[in-house]
Amino acid sequence: QVQLVESGGDLVQAGGSLRLSCAASVKISSFDFLGWYRQTPGKEREWVAQIAPGGIITYTNSVKGRFTISRDNAKNAVNLQMDNLKPEDTAVYYCRAISRADYWGQGTQVTVSS
């Protein structure tokens, strides 16, 4: 059973930084796709960033230049460095990994105060 466990969510002031981590129970290199998503109450889950096959990295426009997604093969983790946080970044953040199946973590809360 593949498990993804997110950590690093917290309450932070606007302009601050957080680093989210998603630890996998299997080798992170076994996944073709790694991504971060976020969701706020009453809204659909939103894609934030991804590492696609071939290592191609893309971001949603609202986080470009502020967020950085990275893979840590040694720790079997995918990270999301979030800088210059804004109140609109407040959400539950989820990691997603796809190999032969589609896996999601349980989420970690990020709250950015103004």
Side-chain angles (χ1 to χ4, degrees):
Q1 180 83 14
V2 173
Q3 289 187 322
L4 302 175
V5 179
E6 299 98 335
S7 61
D10 205 343
L11 170 64
V12 64
Q13 287 189 334
S17 297
L18 284 175
R19 184 177 179 83
L20 305 183
S21 184
C22 173
S25 60
V26 298
K27 286 188 179 295
I28 201 74
S29 57
S30 66
F31 297 108
D32 301 314
F33 172 95
L34 296 166
W36 284 95
Y37 293 71
R38 63 189 180 187
Q39 189 170 24
T40 54
K43 293 188 177 181
E44 291 191 355
R45 194 166 295 186
E46 173 193 25
W47 165 72
V48 175
Q50 69 182 46
I51 303 175
I56 298 172
I57 292 175
T58 51
Y59 302 92
T60 192
N61 285 340
S62 63
V63 308
K64 281 182 181 177
R66 300 188 298 120
F67 289 13
T68 304
I69 188 173
S70 62
R71 184 204 315 252
D72 187 337
N73 289 338
K75 295 184 178 180
N76 290 321
V78 55
N79 302 313
L80 186 68
Q81 177 66 39
M82 305 187 296
D83 298 317
N84 190 22
L85 282 160
K86 302 176 180 181
E88 51 264 42
D89 296 319
T90 295
V92 177
Y93 283 72
Y94 299 88
C95 68
R96 182 186 188 189
I98 301 174
S99 55
R100 295 177 179 173
D102 193 347
Y103 303 98
W104 291 86
Q106 84 291 346
T108 186
Q109 176 70 48
V110 171
T111 303
V112 184
S113 64
S114 56

